Amino acid sequence: SAVISQKPSRDICQRGTSLTIQCQVDSQVTMMFWYRQQPGQSLTLIATANQGSEATYESGFVIDKFPISRPNLTFSTLTVSNMSPEDSSIYLCSVVPLYGYTFGSGTRLTVV
Amino acid sequence: GQQVMQIPQYQHVQEGEDFTTYCNSSTTLSNIQWYKQRPGGHPVFLIQLVKSGEVKKQKRLTFQFGEAKKNSSLHITATQTTDVGTYFCAGVSYNTDKLIFGTGTRLQVFP
């Protein structure tokens, strides 16, 4: 299965600033997915990132707040912009190599 | 939109007891997947079910996909402390490749 390197693993950020999360996959994949997991909650899909096209955002998530880049088939970034304490969550990227989704180890974000 | 619910939300069992979590989708699914997330960890893929009525086993874990492909269950026989974590079902509907996670069941096993 694919191996995903996600960084940073955690960060503490000031409100109003932005953080960019990176995911690097060890193989080429068509789609990459970004999820958010708020404390004690399930995973919520933020957007689907396809190489060469605009990301597709789920209801409640907008590009201005969560811009995504997908420059090639092995890499994607998610930026959390103009952060507020409500953005404190774990952010995970995932891919579907062949069978089942593989997740990055997650980025634990705390906004103070 | 598509919703995937799981019950119970929490389950505390004595080591050696059995455990079952149930998953229900608001839409028919092309496949359903199960994940385990240990405290502080990320979700780890356990299994995928595709066929109506499918049953799969992994040692003490039994997974079942309903006939209508809208529900699923995970049963653990004789739980161990290593089974502690949150179990998520996640479904893919026919008209999208998006994986929608269930609400999760947190399992605590007391020795």
Side-chain angles (χ1 to χ4, degrees):
Chain A
S1 61
V3 176
I4 302 176
S5 173
Q6 183 174 344
K7 58 182 180 181
S9 59
R10 59 179 64 233
D11 208 341
I12 300 174
C13 300
Q14 296 289 327
R15 66 179 68 198
T17 63
S18 298
L19 175 72
T20 296
I21 302 167
Q22 301 180 0
C23 273
Q24 178 75 51
V25 190
D26 68 345
S27 58
Q28 293 184 339
V29 290
T30 304
M31 289 189 288
M32 293 182 72
F33 302 88
W34 287 96
Y35 285 85
R36 179 175 74 182
Q37 187 174 28
Q38 295 177 304
Q41 302 296 313
S42 182
L43 284 77
T44 301
L45 182 62
I46 297 172
T48 303
N50 293 322
Q51 193 268 333
S53 64
E54 293 285 333
T56 304
Y57 289 83
E58 297 302 304
S59 175
F61 299 96
V62 294
I63 187 171
D64 290 345
K65 177 66 176 178
F66 298 101
I68 288 171
S69 78
R70 184 81 202 275
N72 56 56
L73 291 173
T74 63
F75 187 79
S76 179
T77 67
L78 169 77
T79 299
V80 186
S81 303
N82 188 26
M83 289 183 284
S84 66
E86 292 71 35
D87 294 320
S88 297
S89 291
I90 299 172
Y91 293 85
L92 303 109
C93 62
S94 70
V95 300
V96 191
L98 280 176
Y99 188 67
Y101 280 52
T102 300
F103 283 84
S105 54
T107 297
R108 186 178 296 270
L109 171 62
T110 302
V111 183
V112 298
Chain B
Q2 180 187 358
Q3 291 185 327
V4 183
M5 305 297 293
Q6 278 181 258
I7 55 170
Q9 188 176 6
Y10 302 100
Q11 185 81 57
H12 298 171
V13 299
Q14 205 73 33
E15 190 172 22
E17 292 181 338
D18 292 356
F19 159 76
T20 303
T21 173
Y22 299 92
C23 175
N24 283 285
S25 170
S26 59
T27 60
T28 304
L29 303 171
S30 64
N31 70 80
I32 194 156
Q33 303 170 26
W34 285 90
Y35 292 79
K36 178 182 179 180
Q37 186 175 27
R38 293 181 185 275
H42 60 277
V44 175
F45 174 76
L46 294 176
I47 208 159
Q48 177 175 293
L49 304 170
V50 178
K51 299 177 183 177
S52 169
E54 188 171 15
V55 177
K56 288 188 176 180
K57 292 188 176 184
Q58 288 180 350
K59 298 183 180 178
R60 294 179 294 105
L61 277 63
T62 301
F63 304 84
Q64 188 166 11
F65 201 9
E67 294 289 341
K69 301 186 75 173
K70 296 181 71 173
N71 57 74
S72 181
S73 64
L74 158 60
H75 179 82
I76 303 178
T77 303
T79 55
Q80 301 174 358
T81 55
T82 53
D83 295 326
V84 166
T86 301
Y87 291 85
F88 292 100
C89 64
V92 179
S93 62
Y94 276 103
N95 59 354
T96 175
D97 285 330
K98 294 183 292 188
L99 187 65
I100 304 301
F101 276 76
T103 48
T105 296
R106 185 179 302 174
L107 173 64
Q108 183 62 261
V109 180
F110 296 106

